[in-house]
Amino acid sequence: MLTAISIDYLILTAAILLLLSIVASKTSGRLGVPSLLLFLLIGMLAGADGPGGIDFSNTALVQLLGVFALIIILFSGGLDTRWESVKPVLFKGLILSTAGVMLTAATVGLIVWQLTDFSLVEGLLLGAIISSTDAAAVFSILRSKNLGLKKRLRPLLELESGSNDPMAFFLTITLTQLLLVPDTSIWEGVLSFLMQMSIGGLVGTLLGRLMVWVLNHIHLDYDGLYPVLIIGMVLLIYSLAAFLKGNGFLAIYIAGVILGNHSFIHKRSILKFFDGQAWLMQIIMFLALGLLVYPSRIIPVIGIGLLVSFALIFVARPLSVFLSLSFFKMQIREKLLISWVGLRGAVPIIFAIFPLMAGLPNAEMIFNIVFFVVLTSVAVQGTTLAPVARWLGLYRWEPPKKKYPLELDLTEGFHNELVEITVPEGCSAAGKPLVEIGFPQTALIVMIERDKKYITPKGTTIIEPGDNLLVMTDRPEDLASVNTCLGINRIS
């Protein structure tokens, strides 16, 4: 039974670990190290083998935390997915998140089977667990260095990372079941996959649309209840999809995409809320996984861990990318970068808990290998992403996004677009008052940012080079005429 002292100690420990993780995330971008690696290391240092000495071996609790965290993270990722950006790369992303995952799992599994004492099914299980990617850390590094990716690579990688977990989860559960019940039919597994994906997609689509309608028509008395309502609906979508034998992870990701691409009340504040919740879930999940692992048990598997890491990074991932995208017109350097962005995160470690909970003979060894592979992938690929993108000539500089003291509370029927336009040197509008520029009637300058100060625009306000104009228009197609009026050719 927990005493008051032990509860206070647990809360103090959690607070210290959480604050250390936040401080670590602030320095991770400058060091070029993904935040999740530092979160895991903090958890390992606080664990039983580290100076913290916390004996944390409750795998069932970690599994529960992991699944809940993954639900929030996938939903938040869906909210941030812009349909207009992923639509051109939709088919490529779906191929990578399905066929690509299966090819990765099969390649790793065959190599492990041939070069180790694992059976074929155990090798395939190990490959399935580490087959999904986690691009969240990748883009945190890109943002910290103001790097973008050319040729629609960024939306493609975002779509793949957000949609490939369901396939990896299905393969992990199916192969675990096959090890427990060797007589399981392969055709039953294929039918189960089709049913899970179909039901998950249908539930996510229908309830995602229902979520939009509910948010815009329920009219709650307290604004703070809207995020709570969404969390309740997200959990309902996941559990309902799982109850109907569908894939709950796919359902919540699709629901997030649908909600994020519609207008609804308090949209901006809700997006910020779930962005913060996603970070909190990642920190909790990585810390818990770090506490769960025993570094002393990782040492005996370093040899096979290096083998699996090499097979994954340099053989399986490139092979799956090149084969999956062989039917599309893409340059080799693009496929090489996509291959290198095959960063593994906490999801494989969570999936590795399932065979551990099932009591499979080599489950603990598989868990330790997976943990080592994740650390290796993050350390090698995560820290070298920016140099590789530069070397392949696929980066572009992106100015940091400015923050304005303005919140737009979007509701259904609000279709205006808010864009930022920077006035360059030599612009014909520079030195002129707003009243003389001849702005189109469908556009309005809402705010001007100048020398880190914000100005309310008036007709007599003089436009100066370097001004950042926050422009709102109800006809996005008129943005070209706005640029023409200002005498510039680029919208930042």
Side-chain angles (χ1 to χ4, degrees), residues 136-156:
V138 171
F139 296 113
S140 68
I141 295 176
L142 291 177
R143 284 191 293 269
S144 69
K145 296 180 179 294
N146 295 330
L147 285 173
L149 295 177
K150 297 179 180 179
K151 299 182 181 293
R152 299 187 185 275
L153 290 179
R154 181 164 181 161
L156 174 59

Side-chain angles (χ1 to χ4, degrees), residues 359-414:
L360 296 181
N362 289 321
E364 185 174 344
M365 186 177 183
I366 291 176
F367 177 86
N368 292 328
I369 292 173
V370 169
F371 197 94
F372 180 83
V373 170
V374 169
L375 289 178
T376 305
S377 173
V378 173
V380 175
Q381 295 170 288
T383 57
T384 58
L385 172 64
V388 170
R390 290 179 181 273
W391 176 64
L392 293 173
L394 292 171
Y395 79 95
R396 66 169 181 265
W397 185 82
E398 289 186 348
K401 187 177 181 180
K402 293 181 175 60
K403 299 178 180 178
Y404 293 94
L406 176 67
E407 292 287 340
L408 276 183
D409 190 11
L410 302 180
T411 58
E412 189 174 25
F414 186 95

Side-chain angles (χ1 to χ4, degrees), residues 75 79 204-219 226 229-230 233 237 254-265 267 410-413:
F75 179 74
L79 285 177
T205 301
L206 294 178
L207 295 190
R209 294 183 179 278
L210 177 63
M211 189 185 301
V212 176
W213 186 88
V214 169
L215 286 173
N216 286 320
H217 292 85
I218 193 170
H219 303 304
Y226 282 95
L229 173 64
I230 294 178
M233 289 190 289
I237 291 172
I254 292 177
V257 172
I258 291 175
L259 181 63
N261 285 274
H262 281 80
S263 297
F264 57 91
I265 190 170
K267 180 173 183 178
L410 302 180
T411 58
E412 189 174 25

Side-chain angles (χ1 to χ4, degrees), residues 91-107 131 160 163-164 167-168 171 193 197 316-317 319-328:
F91 193 51
K92 295 178 184 177
L94 293 179
I95 292 294
L96 283 174
S97 62
T98 53
V101 168
M102 289 190 288
L103 287 169
T104 300
T107 305
S131 60
E160 181 201 8
S163 59
N164 63 7
M167 172 61 77
L171 293 176
F193 165 74
M197 295 301 163
R317 172 65 177 179
L319 181 64
S320 66
V321 169
F322 274 78
L323 289 177
S324 299
L325 300 178
S326 60
F327 300 103
F328 302 97

